[in-house]
Amino acid sequence: MKSAHLLPRIAGFAALCLATAAAASIPPPPSAVDRAQNDDIAWKITEDLTTEIGPRMAGTEAEAAARKWAVERLKAMGFQNVRDEPFAMPTWVRGEEEASLIGPFHTQPLAVTALGNSGSTGAKGLVGDVAYFASYDDFLAAPDHYIKGKIVFIDHQMAPAQDGSGYGQYGRARFTGPNAAAKRGAIAVIIRSIGTDSHRNPHTGNTNFEAGVAPIPAAAISNPDADQLVRQWRRAQSIRTKETPLGYTPAPLRMKLLLTPRNLGQQQSGNVIADVPGSDPAASPVVVACHLDSWDLGTGAIDDAAGCGIVTAAAKHVMTAGQPRRTIRILWAGAEEVGVHGGRAYFAAHGNQKHAVALESDFGADRVWRVDFKLPESAKSLADRIALAVAPYGVTRGSSPASGGADIGALVRAGVPAIDLRQDGTRYFDLHHTTDDTLDKVDPVQLRQNVLVWTATLAILANSSDNELP
Amino acid sequence: MKSAHLLPRIAGFAALCLATAAAASIPPPPSAVDRAQNDDIAWKITEDLTTEIGPRMAGTEAEAAARKWAVERLKAMGFQNVRDEPFAMPTWVRGEEEASLIGPFHTQPLAVTALGNSGSTGAKGLVGDVAYFASYDDFLAAPDHYIKGKIVFIDHQMAPAQDGSGYGQYGRARFTGPNAAAKRGAIAVIIRSIGTDSHRNPHTGNTNFEAGVAPIPAAAISNPDADQLVRQWRRAQSIRTKETPLGYTPAPLRMKLLLTPRNLGQQQSGNVIADVPGSDPAASPVVVACHLDSWDLGTGAIDDAAGCGIVTAAAKHVMTAGQPRRTIRILWAGAEEVGVHGGRAYFAAHGNQKHAVALESDFGADRVWRVDFKLPESAKSLADRIALAVAPYGVTRGSSPASGGADIGALVRAGVPAIDLRQDGTRYFDLHHTTDDTLDKVDPVQLRQNVLVWTATLAILANSSDNELP
Ligand SMILES: [Zn+2]
Ligand SMILES: [Zn+2]
Ligand SMILES: [Zn+2]
Ligand SMILES: [Zn+2]
């Protein structure tokens, strides 16, 4: 056990450790990374937040309770300047949700969940014919009369990928499908969940309607339900209801839908911020971010309690090992899921200050497998040192520029350097934005690897020179 | 592809096949097992039933639609004497269901589903303190004042097992827990789902109240929700609400529960029966059974559409290969899930007739891994022939007596010989009685192995002599 743990340390800090061991008979004080070897800080934050607060939808009383909990926890951990920086944001909440396929076959319920910003069907629901599209591009290419007055169903073929690369491509059905369908006269939009599991837990997530477009009901059904809809659709297509000289009219696939979400107008959210003050007050801070809010369906364990646990555990280990030169600023952003309101509020309040570098953990709790950089030329050696420090944990160096996370996106777009400690996303879209995002899905071994990688990285960044980072 | 398929056939019928090949230049007509090599009958039955009918709760209009569908399908397949033998049975249907943990922590919803025969909370629901029991035996051992007026929660430690052996032991919490708790003054019972998955899909199933015991609300929560309840319970135990000289009073764990199931009184169900008439009208029939009804949550693909697909495909292959000596009777039983009403109705109508042997498929769609016999002494060589015929498909011979399935239970208890073609149950209780029992969970390769094993067995049984079986 011990020798196994020692191995990465020796490999990572080979020259330093061997030299120290040869020169002194008294062992040096534990480094930040030594402390992270037996980390349970990240696990405790994840467990406590998901157990005592649970789901914490942006703008609701549950998110406010989470912020109160967060301020207390960060203070108790010894961080400085712990505060809740409030902001207002438009708040949408889920209502009743039911869907069923009602013909031409025996009526069957579907596992359905509204997308964020969905319109309401009203209390009586609506009934319509399904217009099936095998992909978002098929939907875009279809003539308007296929869409007008219909319940549009958008299918897709997303598969698991370590880098999560399917989300951007297939996610368009969710991000922009309802708006596009509303403009073309659809009465509702149903999408195959932007997810890779085969459980009857549909995946929610935000959609957006342009100003001036009245939101229509928009929802996701689970993968098994989408499979069922496709089977019924295909069978209905071969049922001849009316013969004409040009062919036949197939039986319509009929759906009933009830969604009663509501808009609560502007409500309060906030960013919880804490600092590890650096020894050089003139040095710009390192920002490590996650988001505190979650969707309402699960308890937000992998999205993103674990991320808050990881970045906070790393900051704590660096702090305990000895005051760093730069301030480490921990940002637990509010209202990320529903439009990155916290990230924008942080930028509005602090974007005019200099930031050395920004990192975010918001892709689950599975291991970091790759590191990508977006750093100034001056930081070439810094990047090399980080790549060397994380290599013993199985992290390879990527060649793509770092993109940062949602909550640090405004900073990065404004030129702040960024590093991505990319997590293994193979399982992420099995769980993401579903009721199944719960604590049991967090693997403690992989969570600890995250903390080790983050601690090794943060120890270097927080002690970097002004010649290396802005 | 072809040579791989050929291998088990040669191994299984080695002597016969090689002899035939040597003696004749014209190949013999395909045997029943040859026909089953490329079977899609079982898949089609499973797909069509779950797609066109879906959930088919006993006593409801959906089960009646399934019976109508079944009669048409079995007639179209060329079976004889296809009929629906109706019977009446008490019918319970699900209503609204909601549960949440409301204190001492932030309110959180639980994924909950009522057990069959659960009482109702009324439309307003109820609120109470949770009394936690780590096992059913802990519950039995607890003094009454721990239970009276409380919402009893019964935990357990069921784990996956190939033979499904955890179900009997841990299932007691569901089968008899609510009745026992009602008699001891509990206001409701919540159990950890009798299931082995970690998804937020609670497992339903029947419970029973003795005559004279008023049903109390009884429900299951999913494994992740049970984990959450346990975490909250432990934390609440350490919150001191009142100090006394003898210790302290912990904070109660509060739960809100809404369940509004209803009893519809006696409704009609039925057994769908079809025959492959044997060439010897005096010979007693072989009964192959499954159940047509399902729980209302999923589409009943593994429980038990696949079972009906398997036994029916085997009967069809034996019929097509050449008329067997004995009649094969296919029994698609009604109302199994809610009390084996179909099995009892079959026995009431036909139990006085002689039956050669009975078999049932009702443990999912994964591969057969073991065969067990409960046969008269006269059938020793018959059992050997079957064990030899199924061995090439990876089926080992067990040493336990066959127990039969639920729907043939009355026959077997009355002395009818039985054979169990035991399926791999490792995954079964991940899916059983949940919304997740859907077609995508059926593995076509393992389903086909079932059909091969059943066909090989049935071909032997249906041509067995009167010296071997009654
Ligand atoms: Zn996130
Ligand atoms: Zn998210
Ligand atoms: Zn069953
Ligand atoms: Zn069952």
Side-chain angles (χ1 to χ4, degrees):
Chain A
M1 195 74 178
K2 193 148 192 199
S3 61
H5 278 162
L6 218 59
L7 192 62
R9 197 176 31 167
I10 287 175
F13 295 87
L16 178 67
C17 288
L18 294 176
T20 308
S25 58
I26 299 168
S31 72
V33 177
D34 289 322
R35 291 171 198 279
Q37 298 280 0
N38 296 305
D39 180 76
D40 71 347
I41 295 171
W43 179 268
K44 283 296 286 175
I45 288 172
T46 309
E47 174 175 336
D48 294 353
L49 176 59
T50 58
T51 301
E52 295 177 12
I53 307 294
R56 42 199 185 278
M57 180 79 174
T60 70
E61 183 272 333
E63 197 202 23
R67 283 203 305 283
K68 188 163 169 292
W69 180 96
V71 166
E72 284 168 19
R73 170 61 61 105
L74 291 166
K75 280 184 179 166
M77 288 179 73
F79 295 113
Q80 300 297 309
N81 309 327
V82 181
R83 72 270 194 195
D84 175 359
E85 296 188 350
F87 55 83
M89 36 75 65
T91 299
W92 173 99
V93 291
R94 195 175 302 286
E96 290 181 284
E97 22 199 41
E98 288 176 22
S100 43
L101 294 170
I102 60 171
F105 304 106
H106 199 269
T107 292
Q108 295 192 29
L110 297 171
V112 69
T113 199
L115 303 178
N117 292 325
S118 166
S120 171
T121 61
K124 291 186 175 166
L126 59 80
V127 168
D129 293 351
V130 172
Y132 172 84
F133 300 99
S135 68
Y136 187 59
D137 293 307
D138 277 8
F139 160 74
L140 292 179
D144 281 354
H145 73 266
Y146 269 59
I147 290 164
K148 197 170 157 55
K150 297 285 175 57
I151 299 176
V152 164
F153 176 77
I154 306 174
D155 205 351
H156 66 78
Q157 304 76 27
M158 183 175 171
Q162 192 173 11
D163 67 358
S165 53
Y167 191 56
Q169 180 173 339
Y170 298 112
R172 293 179 303 155
R174 193 192 89 208
F175 311 145
T176 56
N179 180 67
K183 291 203 288 187
R184 297 174 72 188
I187 59 171
V189 173
I190 305 290
I191 61 167
R192 179 186 285 268
S193 283
I194 309 301
T196 49
D197 63 304
S198 60
H199 300 288
R200 302 224 16 229
N201 300 316
H203 296 233
T204 189
N206 238 33
T207 192
N208 286 293
F209 293 93
E210 289 168 36
V213 176
I216 57 175
I221 59 176
S222 81
N223 275 315
D225 291 274
D227 294 345
Q228 183 79 324
L229 184 151
V230 174
R231 279 190 295 268
Q232 287 206 356
W233 167 262
R234 291 206 177 124
R235 283 161 196 244
Q237 287 299 101
S238 67
I239 298 175
R240 295 166 179 255
T241 55
K242 199 171 69 182
E243 302 278 350
T244 73
L246 291 171
Y248 68 92
T249 307
L253 180 61
R254 304 275 290 166
M255 184 186 285
K256 188 172 189 308
L257 181 65
L258 172 72
L259 300 174
T260 58
R262 286 174 304 142
N263 289 305
L264 305 183
Q266 294 284 315
Q267 301 288 326
Q268 187 171 301
S269 180
N271 289 324
V272 177
I273 300 178
D275 288 345
V276 177
S279 60
D280 180 352
S284 58
V286 175
V287 178
V288 293
C290 63
H291 63 83
L292 179 59
D293 67 307
S294 78
W295 279 102
D296 51 346
L297 300 177
T299 62
I302 66 151
D303 188 13
D304 184 31
C308 291
I310 291 163
V311 305
T312 307
K316 170 77 175 171
H317 292 309
V318 172
M319 176 170 75
T320 308
Q323 189 180 24
R325 197 178 78 81
R326 294 182 188 276
T327 292
I328 300 170
R329 179 163 300 157
I330 303 166
L331 167 60
W332 290 15
E336 187 274 343
E337 295 291 9
V338 296
V340 200
H341 300 285
R344 277 205 296 273
Y346 180 86
F347 188 74
H350 306 283
N352 59 344
Q353 297 160 18
K354 201 153 69 171
H355 291 78
V357 60
L359 300 84
E360 180 155 11
S361 180
D362 183 21
F363 201 53
D366 283 351
R367 74 183 181 91
V368 177
W369 68 287
R370 205 177 85 186
V371 56
D372 284 314
F373 299 97
K374 185 178 179 188
L375 298 178
E377 267 304 308
S378 57
K380 196 168 177 313
S381 139
L382 180 76
D384 291 345
R385 295 201 309 277
I386 290 172
L388 187 68
V390 300
Y393 307 109
V395 182
T396 58
R397 185 172 185 163
S399 52
S400 311
S403 53
D407 301 294
I408 57 171
L411 289 172
V412 174
R413 283 190 295 277
V416 173
I419 299 174
D420 288 348
L421 296 169
R422 294 194 195 271
Q423 292 170 293
D424 188 333
T426 310
R427 298 196 306 153
Y428 190 62
F429 294 106
D430 288 355
L431 306 168
H432 174 253
H433 297 186
T434 72
T435 58
D436 254 346
D437 179 2
T438 48
L439 183 65
D440 52 295
K441 310 308 185 304
V442 176
D443 174 353
V445 174
Q446 296 196 66
L447 183 68
R448 183 171 292 177
Q449 187 263 14
N450 272 272
V451 175
L452 281 161
V453 171
W454 272 79
T455 303
T457 303
L458 194 51
I460 295 170
L461 290 174
N463 290 296
S464 61
S465 77
D466 293 337
N467 296 331
E468 295 181 309
L469 291 175
Chain B
M1 193 77 177
K2 193 148 192 196
S3 62
H5 279 161
L6 219 60
L7 192 63
R9 196 174 38 166
I10 289 177
F13 294 88
L16 179 65
C17 288
L18 294 177
T20 308
S25 59
I26 299 170
S31 72
V33 177
D34 289 320
R35 292 171 196 280
Q37 299 280 359
N38 296 305
D39 178 78
D40 71 348
I41 295 172
W43 179 268
K44 282 297 285 174
I45 288 173
T46 309
E47 175 175 337
D48 293 353
L49 176 58
T50 58
T51 300
E52 295 178 12
I53 307 294
R56 41 202 184 276
M57 181 79 173
T60 69
E61 183 270 334
E63 197 202 24
R67 284 203 304 284
K68 186 163 170 293
W69 180 95
V71 167
E72 284 167 18
R73 170 62 60 106
L74 290 166
K75 279 183 179 163
M77 289 179 71
F79 296 112
Q80 300 297 308
N81 309 324
V82 181
R83 72 271 195 195
D84 175 359
E85 296 188 352
F87 55 84
M89 37 75 68
T91 299
W92 173 98
V93 290
R94 195 176 302 284
E96 289 181 286
E97 23 202 40
E98 287 176 21
S100 44
L101 294 171
I102 60 169
F105 305 107
H106 199 268
T107 292
Q108 295 191 30
L110 297 171
V112 69
T113 198
L115 303 178
N117 292 324
S118 167
S120 171
T121 61
K124 291 186 175 166
L126 59 79
V127 168
D129 294 351
V130 172
Y132 172 83
F133 300 100
S135 69
Y136 187 59
D137 293 306
D138 276 10
F139 161 73
L140 293 178
D144 281 355
H145 72 267
Y146 269 62
I147 291 164
K148 196 169 156 59
K150 298 283 175 56
I151 298 176
V152 164
F153 176 77
I154 305 174
D155 206 351
H156 67 76
Q157 303 75 31
M158 183 175 171
Q162 192 172 15
D163 67 358
S165 53
Y167 190 55
Q169 180 174 338
Y170 298 113
R172 293 179 304 155
R174 193 191 88 207
F175 310 145
T176 56
N179 180 65
K183 291 204 287 186
R184 298 174 74 189
I187 59 172
V189 173
I190 305 291
I191 62 168
R192 179 188 284 269
S193 282
I194 308 301
T196 48
D197 62 302
S198 59
H199 300 288
R200 296 206 47 209
N201 300 317
H203 296 235
T204 190
N206 238 29
T207 192
N208 285 294
F209 293 93
E210 290 168 36
V213 175
I216 58 174
I221 58 176
S222 80
N223 275 316
D225 290 275
D227 294 345
Q228 183 80 323
L229 184 151
V230 174
R231 279 190 295 269
Q232 286 207 354
W233 167 260
R234 289 204 178 124
R235 281 162 198 243
Q237 287 301 100
S238 66
I239 297 175
R240 295 165 179 254
T241 56
K242 199 170 70 180
E243 302 279 349
T244 74
L246 292 171
Y248 69 91
T249 307
L253 180 61
R254 304 276 291 166
M255 184 187 282
K256 189 171 190 308
L257 182 66
L258 172 73
L259 299 174
T260 57
R262 286 173 304 142
N263 289 304
L264 304 183
Q266 295 284 313
Q267 302 289 326
Q268 187 169 302
S269 180
N271 288 324
V272 176
I273 300 177
D275 288 345
V276 177
S279 59
D280 181 350
S284 58
V286 176
V287 179
V288 294
C290 62
H291 63 84
L292 180 57
D293 67 307
S294 77
W295 278 103
D296 50 348
L297 300 178
T299 62
I302 67 151
D303 188 12
D304 184 30
C308 291
I310 291 163
V311 306
T312 307
K316 170 77 176 173
H317 293 308
V318 172
M319 176 171 76
T320 308
Q323 189 178 28
R325 198 179 77 81
R326 296 183 187 275
T327 292
I328 300 170
R329 180 164 300 158
I330 302 166
L331 168 59
W332 290 14
E336 188 273 347
E337 294 291 8
V338 297
V340 199
H341 299 286
R344 278 204 298 272
Y346 181 86
F347 188 73
H350 307 283
N352 60 343
Q353 297 160 18
K354 203 152 68 171
H355 291 78
V357 61
L359 300 83
E360 180 155 10
S361 179
D362 182 21
F363 201 52
D366 283 350
R367 73 184 182 94
V368 178
W369 67 286
R370 206 176 86 185
V371 56
D372 284 313
F373 299 98
K374 186 180 178 186
L375 298 177
E377 267 306 306
S378 57
K380 196 168 173 318
S381 137
L382 180 75
D384 291 345
R385 297 202 306 277
I386 290 171
L388 187 67
V390 299
Y393 307 109
V395 181
T396 60
R397 185 171 187 165
S399 53
S400 311
S403 54
D407 300 294
I408 58 171
L411 290 172
V412 174
R413 282 190 297 276
V416 173
I419 299 174
D420 290 347
L421 297 170
R422 293 192 196 271
Q423 291 168 292
D424 189 333
T426 311
R427 295 196 310 153
Y428 189 62
F429 293 106
D430 289 355
L431 305 170
H432 173 253
H433 297 185
T434 71
T435 56
D436 255 346
D437 180 2
T438 47
L439 183 66
D440 52 296
K441 310 310 185 303
V442 176
D443 172 355
V445 174
Q446 295 197 65
L447 183 70
R448 183 171 292 177
Q449 186 263 17
N450 272 272
V451 175
L452 281 161
V453 170
W454 272 80
T455 303
T457 302
L458 195 52
I460 295 170
L461 290 175
N463 290 296
S464 61
S465 79
D466 292 337
N467 296 331
E468 294 182 308
L469 291 174

